[in-house]
Amino acid sequence: MDTTDLVLAILHHVLVFSLAGIIGAEFVLIRGDMPAATLKRLAGIDRHYGIIAALIIIVGIGRVVWGLKGWEFYVHNWVFWAKMAAFGIVGLLSIVPTVRFISWNRQARANPSFGVPSSELASVKTFIRAEAFVFLLIPVFAAAMARGYGY
Ligand code: HEM
């Protein structure tokens, strides 16, 4: 039994579920009417997205280096790299929503009658949908890789 591996696995799962929760919250909050309070909440939630994603990278690398299977198991495993690519794509897809949330929040603070332009809202919705879809692929790759597929 290895306590380091157990602690890293627990942290990894908690962080991953937190990120799923954040993507779900953004998905639900992006709706037709977006009052200033919702814009503020979205910007706040999105800040946590960045922090949690950074922690997942740190803990994930920790699992590769100090996990039970040893780093060679992962670096030579294409399913692991597919999982990393999916995570990278989710990160890239999150850039547009993040930039928009900051901008909308800033405009709403400066102008209380600010309304989110419907074209921008629609494009952010599309990005978040795509993000959620690609995110769903990550546990599929994770489960396969953990069982030796791709090695
Ligand atoms: C830099 C990012 C990441 C790295 C380096 C990483 C690395 C790892 C490693 C080394 C394992 C252990 C697999 C094993 O037992 O052999 C693992 C498991 C797992 N990872 Fe990640 N991970 C990352 C991001 C994510 C994300 C974003 C998710 C989101 C769903 C995720 C979901 C999982 C799941 C569900 C498992 C458990 C698989 C199982 O035991 O069936 N990981 N990850």
Side-chain angles (χ1 to χ4, degrees):
M1 265 184 266
D2 184 314
T3 314
T4 308
D5 184 68
L6 173 67
V7 171
L8 288 170
I10 292 169
L11 288 175
H12 194 62
H13 280 87
V14 169
L15 290 166
V16 159
F17 280 112
S18 306
L19 197 66
I22 286 181
I23 294 176
E26 292 189 351
F27 195 86
V28 168
L29 283 173
I30 291 279
R31 284 287 169 265
D33 63 329
M34 304 266 287
T38 305
L39 294 177
K40 195 170 165 207
R41 183 172 295 164
L42 267 171
I45 289 175
D46 203 61
R47 248 194 312 279
H48 288 91
Y49 183 116
I51 295 167
I52 289 173
L55 290 174
I56 289 179
I57 293 172
I58 294 167
V59 173
I61 292 172
R63 293 196 78 182
V64 170
V65 177
W66 294 296
L68 290 181
K69 291 172 181 144
W71 62 269
E72 300 92 342
F73 174 84
Y74 302 104
V75 294
H76 301 301
N77 184 328
W78 71 264
V79 181
F80 169 76
W81 291 110
K83 182 183 156 180
M84 292 302 100
F87 187 56
I89 291 169
V90 170
L92 290 176
L93 287 168
S94 75
I95 293 173
V96 169
T98 296
V99 170
R100 289 282 187 230
F101 295 152
I102 294 169
S103 152
W104 292 344
N105 196 34
R106 194 181 299 132
Q107 290 179 77
R109 270 205 311 253
N111 168 16
S113 66
F114 170 76
V116 173
S118 54
S119 60
E120 290 183 11
L121 189 65
S123 94
V124 168
K125 258 188 197 169
T126 306
F127 274 98
I128 292 181
R129 272 203 199 105
E131 221 179 296
F133 175 75
V134 180
F135 189 83
L136 287 178
L137 298 176
I138 302 177
V140 176
F141 290 135
M145 132 194 132
R147 281 149 194 84
Y149 289 90
Y151 185 61

